[in-house]
Amino acid sequence: GGPFWTPIGGPFWTPIDSWCKVAKENVIARQMALAKFKLGDLGIEGGVGLRAVYLCGPPGVGKTQSIVEQEAVWRSRGLEPLRCRPTNVVELLDYFEQARGVRPIVMEEADIIFRSKPMFEVLKQATDPLTPDILYRMKRVGKAKVMIPIRLNVPICVSTNMDLLHDAGWDAKLLPDRDALFNRSMPVVIPNDPHALWEWSIYLALTSHLTMGVMLRNPTGGKPVAASNPLAVQANALNWFTDHIQHLAVISPRTLKHVAQLFGRAHRGDLPAVVLDSELQALLTDAPRADLAVPMKADWSVLLTTMPKLRGPATAGSSSPSKREKTVPARARSVAGPAKRSSEHAREATA
């Protein structure tokens, strides 16, 4: 469905205004915008006192990028975030102690928290405004054991690839605790919708220079050399990404950016063809989704040039559409199996 999907071989036109609507109409874009907004609500320093934000969704969609941007905001206010990945309740309490009731705590890929009853209980107390903000723990100081107060009311951000609202991934005994926890702050769930993920990835490429940058080896052995991909290379990366949508193991902006990086290096002679082919094959799965509709391709070079660009980092924020709308015909091409066509596409892309 949507304005960017037609049967293979059908006529297809892509007006710029339609792509400009992605920020408001694409489900991934809307959820990423929600994630950024809720991250800004965390804490009382610049926020509204929200105690926790939970982000979940497939890898590579922008969860980490959103968190990194919020961390920069915290640092600008003199708050240094505490990044951690506790494996048990003792470590979790140690990190709360280090936060001293001030530093935001960021836990990425922290699925273990939602599988441990003791850790869950700490998180519930930390995010419940009706319970005491202080938790006392016994700790040895020298030869004596003393009660140490730990302040729990700090901004908390937890991200995971686990679907936090799908019962199948949970211990049934923890479901009541989960519901109580998320009643205070519902998780932002980025759906694993391949159509929406493709559209979101292409949109970011068209509006935020996602596919422009490429890092090359330094011939003198120094630090990598930053360069820019020509429009043709970026367009070929978008073509390959679109052609292989049925075979991609992960459909995401990160995957598309990686493809553009590979094509850019190969274009500049910094990546042998055999390595390029191997790297592209690694992005594909042996179990293609034959029922997945394949989007028709457009003249990406024109769209890369004419689409309004987002301000700041690549986000799902709104952008003003261009006053001038161009309609670009798409050229339909068939999609063959990954083993047969990836080498061919790689050669075309770097020619």
Side-chain angles (χ1 to χ4, degrees):
F4 310 114
W5 297 93
T6 63
I8 297 177
F12 188 70
W13 297 79
T14 310
I16 291 177
D17 279 359
S18 292
W19 279 104
C20 289
K21 294 177 182 177
V22 169
K24 293 183 178 180
E25 298 180 358
N26 178 278
V27 63
I28 310 295
R30 293 199 304 267
Q31 289 302 95
M32 293 306 304
L34 175 61
K36 292 174 184 292
F37 185 85
K38 292 192 72 169
L39 285 167
D41 273 352
L42 277 173
I44 58 175
E45 293 291 335
V48 297
L50 183 66
R51 296 196 176 200
V53 169
Y54 312 101
L55 308 179
C56 69
V61 296
K63 299 189 300 294
T64 296
Q65 178 63 32
S66 299
I67 294 171
V68 167
E69 291 173 16
Q70 181 58 39
E71 287 177 323
V73 173
W74 283 326
R75 291 189 180 97
S76 71
R77 295 173 181 151
L79 299 174
E80 182 60 34
L82 178 60
R83 276 186 165 264
C84 58
R85 192 178 297 172
T87 60
N88 55 59
V89 68
V90 174
E91 291 182 3
L92 180 60
L93 289 173
D94 286 342
Y95 290 124
F96 271 104
E97 187 175 353
Q98 291 180 41
R100 299 182 181 277
V102 177
R103 298 174 61 185
I105 295 179
V106 176
M107 295 175 276
E108 291 199 87
E109 307 304 329
D111 301 20
I112 184 63
I113 291 178
F114 302 114
R115 306 186 192 281
S116 164
K117 178 73 172 179
M119 297 174 78
F120 220 133
E121 291 299 331
V122 171
L123 198 58
K124 283 173 59 181
Q125 182 173 340
T127 57
D128 188 349
L130 300 181
T131 60
D133 291 337
I134 302 294
L135 184 147
Y136 289 89
R137 69 188 296 198
M138 189 70 71
K139 199 170 185 180
R140 182 176 294 278
V141 178
K143 296 182 178 181
K145 289 184 177 181
V146 297
M147 297 292 287
I148 303 295
I150 300 176
R151 297 171 63 187
L152 300 179
N153 186 8
V154 296
I156 301 168
C157 176
V158 182
S159 75
T160 174
N161 294 338
M162 170 186 176
D163 187 341
L164 294 178
L165 296 183
H166 197 284
D167 291 355
W170 286 85
D171 181 340
K173 297 178 181 178
L174 292 177
L175 289 177
D177 296 308
R178 178 200 67 176
D179 295 341
L181 182 71
F182 293 159
N183 186 52
R184 300 161 196 153
S185 178
M186 282 296 293
V188 178
V189 180
I190 295 92
N192 194 6
D193 180 335
H195 291 176
L197 287 167
W198 173 84
E199 189 177 271
W200 168 242
S201 302
I202 297 292
Y203 171 77
L204 287 183
L206 298 179
T207 60
S208 68
H209 306 299
L210 179 74
T211 54
M212 178 180 287
V214 58
M215 300 300 294
L216 308 172
R217 285 189 182 183
N218 191 323
T220 65
K223 294 182 179 180
V225 178
S228 296
N229 280 329
L231 281 176
V233 172
Q234 296 182 62
N236 281 322
L238 270 64
N239 279 336
W240 189 94
F241 184 75
T242 302
D243 280 343
H244 291 81
I245 187 173
Q246 293 179 321
H247 307 278
L248 285 169
V250 178
I251 303 171
S252 70
R254 184 164 63 197
T255 298
L256 176 54
K257 183 176 182 178
H258 184 53
V259 171
Q261 167 78 9
L262 293 173
F263 281 3
R265 292 189 64 189
H267 171 74
R268 294 175 180 271
D270 195 48
L271 194 71
V274 64
V275 177
L276 171 64
D277 185 63
S278 176
E279 291 290 301
L280 292 175
Q281 289 289 336
L283 299 176
L284 308 177
T285 177
D286 294 330
R289 292 169 283 195
D291 60 335
L292 180 61
V294 179
M296 297 296 97
K297 293 176 293 186
D299 189 336
W300 302 123
S301 295
V302 171
L303 289 174
L304 284 163
T305 304
T306 57
M307 276 288 292
K309 298 298 183 282
L310 299 175
R311 294 186 179 91
T315 69
S318 61
S319 59
S320 301
S322 171
K323 295 180 181 179
R324 183 169 54 113
E325 178 183 283
K326 287 188 178 181
T327 302
V328 184
R331 295 185 289 273
R333 293 177 60 183
S334 62
V335 179
K340 295 181 179 179
R341 293 300 300 273
S342 64
S343 296
E344 178 183 336
H345 281 273
R347 294 191 192 98
E348 292 177 0
T350 57

